[in-house]
Amino acid sequence: VLPFTRNVVGSMDYTPVTFSAKKSKNMGIPVTTNAHQMGLSVVFESGFQCFADNESVYRTLPAPVKSFLTEVPCTWDESRALAGYPGDYAVILRRKDDTWYLGAVNGKDEARELTFTLPKECRNKELTLIKDGGNRTEFAYETIKNTPEKLTIKVLPNGGFCGVIRNEK
């Protein structure tokens, strides 16, 4: 719900990208995947982004994940909601300089496919994705050489993904 309420017109205070927190449905907190947490680094805009986990946890992450978290901006030149509905899912695209960042989160406790349309300036480029792997804590990686107009990406229950689209130099 937050991308469509607190975060719809500007920055909000939120600390995303938590991998080690004990999350339990019994406490009313959804159990999200690690890829969902990665998606939050783009979906939520805070102006001063503070990732919420312990440094030791980040040091153990796979190299592509650490690389993404190191380079993801905390301020943006442009933001677009590509698809979504409050309480259901959100697919957000943000630009910093000539690089586009994609983030998505599934707000439902069911596996599904998220389909969205990329704007013209993001098509026929290379998209590098970090997405849900085989379970809640695993990552999968995919590179799409020539991004099409429409994309469909599978996500786990309470899953998500993030990605980078770079303009050629």
Side-chain angles (χ1 to χ4, degrees):
V1 173
L2 294 177
F4 302 99
T5 56
R6 284 176 59 196
N7 213 188
V8 76
V9 294
S11 297
M12 69 173 188
D13 181 24
Y14 195 90
T15 48
V17 192
T18 306
F19 301 111
S20 67
K22 303 294 183 214
K23 299 175 190 174
S24 168
K25 289 181 191 173
N26 296 334
M27 295 173 58
I29 301 170
V31 178
T32 60
T33 68
N34 284 354
H36 176 110
Q37 290 297 314
M38 291 293 292
L40 291 178
S41 69
V42 176
V43 170
F44 289 164
E45 191 274 319
S46 295
F48 181 77
Q49 194 74 281
C50 294
F51 297 150
D53 218 325
N54 188 298
E55 175 190 355
S56 64
V57 173
Y58 293 119
R59 289 185 185 281
T60 65
L61 294 170
V65 173
K66 284 194 276 193
S67 177
F68 183 89
L69 291 175
T70 299
E71 71 179 50
V72 68
C74 61
T75 61
W76 306 98
D77 297 326
E78 184 177 354
S79 299
R80 299 182 191 185
L82 299 184
Y85 189 82
D88 192 2
Y89 73 103
V91 181
I92 306 293
L93 183 69
R94 300 190 191 272
R95 181 181 59 80
K96 180 68 173 184
D97 298 325
D98 290 334
T99 304
W100 291 90
Y101 293 82
L102 183 63
V105 292
N106 175 13
K108 296 290 184 182
D109 194 19
E110 60 190 45
R112 62 202 292 194
E113 294 181 340
L114 302 182
T115 300
F116 54 95
T117 302
L118 287 172
K120 284 187 249 186
E121 53 268 51
C122 292
R123 297 177 199 157
N124 301 312
K125 308 237 187 271
E126 185 173 285
L127 167 61
T128 305
L129 285 170
I130 300 172
K131 56 188 186 172
D132 289 321
N135 62 48
R136 188 177 74 77
T137 60
E138 290 179 0
F139 295 104
Y141 311 96
E142 181 180 1
T143 299
I144 301 169
K145 294 289 183 188
N146 290 309
T147 50
E149 179 178 354
K150 281 198 181 263
L151 281 172
T152 299
I153 299 175
K154 293 180 182 180
V155 293
L156 292 176
N158 296 301
F161 59 86
C162 64
V164 180
I165 302 169
R166 297 188 194 285
N167 283 328
E168 297 177 29
K169 303 275 181 191

